[in-house]
Amino acid sequence: MRSELYIDGKWRPSSDGRTFDVVNPATEEVIHRIAAATAEDVDVAVKAARRAFDRDGWPKLSGAQRARYLRAIAEGIRARQAEIARLEVIDNGKPLPEADWDVADAAGCFDFYAGLAEQLDNSPEEPIALPDARFTSKAVKEPIGVAGAIIPWNYPLLMAAWKVAPALAAGCTVVLKPAEVTSLTALELAAIADDVGLPAGVLNVVTGAGAVAGQAIIDHRQVDKLAFTGSGPVGSKIMAAAARDIKRISLELGGKSPFVVFDDADIDEAVEWIMFGIFWNQGQVCSATSRVLVQEGNYDRLLSRLVEETKKIRIGNGLEDGVLLGPLVSKRQHQQVVTAIEAAKAAGATVACGGKRPKGFETGYYLEPTVLTDVPLESDAWREEIFGPVVSIRSFSTEEEAIELANDSRFGLAAAVMSRDDRRAERVAAAFRAGIVWINCSQPTFTEAPWGGYKESGIGRELGRWGLDNYLETKQITRFATGEKWGWYIK
Ligand code: NAP
Ligand code: MG
């Protein structure tokens, strides 16, 4: 396990020597200590990224040359897949098969953006048809510059990949700050980048607190672009900080996503996807479908199947075979989710199952998977993100009512619909006010497809070619192409 900052191609302690604890959420043990970056450390990292961008030529390499580094990083991740997945489990708490999946996806993300980096060479210029034949014009894409990437703790390595891979592919250089509670695998990513010979300063990883290291990144004058995934309040701070010097931003801020199940849906299939939509990763998923709307003819049978299956979920340390629900990421997150459940009860909700620490788990941030019914429409439980294994379920009668309930939210990240009637599913998909829509499933995510939200769920799209555009500027180059005189002042 690495314990130092990775700045300008070197490992170093923080400038004041301070560290923070790494806690295994399954055991509550302190398993490691990592350097806590100061604003001074961030300044050194930003200046290294600046130099790598402005002078050392990272953006001047061809896309194919940058792609070679990205593919080597992908290979490096795959070569250490099992070991990195274990680190993710002892840091984040998620079950090992999920961590394995994340690590493979992170490697795939670097490969995908290697492909897009190569394509940048093949179609660099877009000719523009002008109405005046004396001029020709073309548009070219160029990297924005130094990107500050700030990521959450729910998919530590994968969120790093979603930002670092497209940024490097585009020709940007990066200062990455992982979440304090899950910093181990971001440092491994730095070690892999170092092993493959990524030039110094192209990727810098500064571990530490959001209020110190994160704040120093968003306030830094020499950072051109901020890429953030996390909570709404921090997203607002980032947008405000970016406003001062017009930094480019992309924000992915979570939601309260609906899952609409019609009467013609198969009950067991619906229950499977409802569970996957809210219990996967302990429900700590920005796109989790945490508001389930079930058409009244199916409601009673579906609810009882959901409760029956939810009670069977095997809880435990993510390293144990067969475990499907690990601990929440931190004591703080556990407390927040428990508090949200208590508030839901106080507002009139009924706990159909779960809602408390599971028996036999006195240590570790464990919580039973929870199904809430009778959740009042105006309560926080229905409206605010809980970010834990807690689903609220209610019935509806008509398609119009379902759409109205689904869209009645300040968020718009994801939405799901289940029906055997394809025309109805397409109609509802079109009516959802959300950036990610699933039909007959919930959560499957592909590097190729755009990811991001409507409304307060964020700005911009990650992944796919949209994710590359996040790190590119567009420049027009217009030429006066004839030998003629312009003749405005000088006839
Ligand atoms: P958060 O506070 O928004 O943290 C996200 C990242 O921002 C972390 O790296 C954090 O650092 C950093 N940060 C915090 N304050 C900052 C500041 N002033 N300037 C720059 N960076 C700053 O989210 P959280 O506390 O981890 O989780 C709170 C809630 O956010 C969750 O309950 C959930 O609702 C939501 N969330 C959403 C997503 C998503 O995928 N959209 C992911 C995680 C959480 P440190 O944490 O190291 O201090
Ligand atoms: Mg941890």
Side-chain angles (χ1 to χ4, degrees):
M1 291 188 280
R2 303 268 159 185
S3 52
E4 293 189 308
L5 313 174
Y6 183 70
I7 296 176
D8 203 11
K10 290 188 243 3
W11 297 96
R12 53 172 90 188
S14 68
S15 61
D16 64 4
R18 281 206 206 154
T19 61
F20 61 88
D21 292 345
V22 176
V23 175
N24 180 340
T27 62
E28 301 186 28
E29 282 163 356
V30 175
I31 53 171
H32 196 49
R33 282 188 183 80
I34 294 179
T38 61
E40 202 182 314
D41 296 318
V42 167
D43 182 55
V44 177
V46 171
K47 283 177 175 149
R50 194 75 261 165
R51 195 206 60 232
F53 186 85
D54 294 331
R55 299 218 317 264
D56 296 353
W58 178 252
K60 301 283 187 322
L61 295 182
S62 67
Q65 285 170 315
R66 288 197 299 272
R68 279 202 278 280
Y69 289 104
L70 293 177
R71 289 196 204 283
I73 292 172
E75 278 307 298
I77 294 172
R78 283 195 197 96
R80 297 178 50 200
Q81 157 118 18
E83 175 204 344
I84 294 173
R86 278 182 78 85
L87 284 181
E88 207 76 306
V89 175
I90 62 174
D91 203 6
N92 164 283
K94 64 177 69 193
L96 186 58
E98 291 191 28
D100 243 336
W101 199 348
D102 292 359
V103 178
D105 266 6
C109 184
F110 278 93
D111 273 338
F112 175 80
Y113 282 104
L116 289 196
E118 286 159 351
Q119 284 177 31
L120 280 176
D121 293 339
N122 298 331
S123 53
E125 295 174 2
E126 195 186 317
I128 297 164
L130 299 177
D132 185 333
R134 294 171 301 170
F135 294 89
T136 61
S137 190
K138 62 185 179 184
V140 296
K141 299 271 193 189
E142 294 184 349
I144 289 175
V146 173
I150 298 176
I151 56 171
W153 40 257
N154 53 348
Y155 292 91
L157 182 70
L158 192 57
M159 290 300 104
W162 282 21
K163 291 181 171 46
V164 173
L168 298 191
C172 289
T173 56
V174 179
V175 177
L176 170 71
K177 195 205 86 68
E180 205 181 47
V181 288
T182 56
S183 299
L184 291 178
T185 52
L187 292 175
E188 294 310 315
L189 179 64
I192 290 166
D194 194 69
D195 284 346
V196 306
L198 191 74
V202 171
L203 172 65
N204 306 274
V205 178
V206 287
T207 47
V212 181
Q215 191 71 40
I217 292 173
I218 69 177
D219 284 341
H220 205 294
R221 286 266 179 191
Q222 292 179 34
V223 172
D224 303 299
K225 147 94 192 177
L226 296 172
F228 174 74
T229 299
S231 65
V234 177
S236 292
K237 272 190 199 168
I238 287 175
M239 210 163 161
R244 185 197 57 196
D245 43 5
I246 322 293
K247 286 180 174 53
R248 277 74 184 127
I249 52 169
S250 46
L251 305 175
E252 206 272 81
L253 307 176
K256 190 76 181 180
S257 299
F259 192 160
V260 175
V261 180
F262 284 97
D263 275 348
D264 62 3
D266 177 84
I267 301 250
D268 273 15
E269 260 173 58
V271 167
E272 167 71 16
W273 284 112
I274 289 168
M275 291 171 69
F276 195 72
I278 191 64
F279 298 139
W280 188 47
N281 207 26
Q282 294 67 245
Q284 302 164 133
V285 182
C286 53
S287 58
T289 34
S290 51
R291 288 187 296 141
V292 173
L293 296 156
V294 181
Q295 203 164 17
E296 51 205 5
N298 252 350
Y299 182 80
D300 290 336
R301 275 187 312 146
L302 189 147
L303 176 62
S304 70
R305 281 291 288 133
L306 176 62
V307 167
E308 186 186 336
E309 289 301 321
T310 298
K311 285 179 174 165
K312 287 192 218 158
I313 293 177
R314 173 134 176 239
I315 302 172
N317 186 318
L319 292 176
E320 278 167 32
D321 260 358
V323 161
L324 285 173
L325 194 94
L328 301 192
V329 71
S330 64
K331 185 171 199 163
R332 188 178 137 221
Q333 192 64 16
H334 187 267
Q335 273 166 355
Q336 271 183 28
V337 176
V338 169
T339 303
I341 294 170
E342 292 310 316
K345 290 198 300 204
T350 305
V351 178
C353 68
K356 51 188 194 313
R357 186 177 268 282
K359 281 209 183 66
F361 290 90
E362 302 326 313
T363 314
Y365 311 127
Y366 292 99
L367 184 68
E368 289 173 342
T370 303
V371 178
L372 301 177
T373 61
D374 310 313
V375 178
L377 285 178
E378 293 312 320
S379 67
D380 279 0
W382 187 257
R383 303 209 158 257
E384 299 300 323
E385 191 171 46
I386 294 178
F387 226 67
V390 183
V391 66
S392 298
I393 181 166
R394 67 185 298 129
S395 67
F396 69 89
S397 58
T398 65
E399 184 178 320
E400 294 66 41
E401 187 194 357
I403 292 168
E404 203 178 302
L405 283 166
N407 286 338
D408 180 17
S409 170
R410 64 192 173 91
F411 299 110
L413 185 55
V417 55
M418 183 165 268
S419 169
R420 286 186 194 155
D421 176 345
D422 287 345
R423 295 232 306 267
R424 172 156 66 186
E426 288 291 344
R427 246 189 345 259
V428 173
F432 281 144
R433 299 282 300 154
I436 303 154
V437 171
W438 286 291
I439 296 177
N440 294 340
C441 62
S442 173
Q443 305 308 315
T445 299
F446 297 93
T447 311
E448 293 74 8
W451 184 269
Y454 284 21
K455 301 192 259 182
E456 290 184 39
S457 289
I459 289 182
R461 293 295 178 271
E462 298 192 281
L463 299 186
R465 62 180 166 78
W466 303 269
L468 191 69
D469 284 340
N470 265 333
Y471 298 93
L472 292 169
E473 292 278 22
T474 302
K475 176 189 275 179
Q476 65 147 303
I477 301 177
T478 297
R479 176 195 289 262
F480 188 50
T482 67
E484 286 173 44
K485 283 198 166 69
W486 186 235
W488 190 271
Y489 293 106
I490 300 172
K491 304 288 180 198

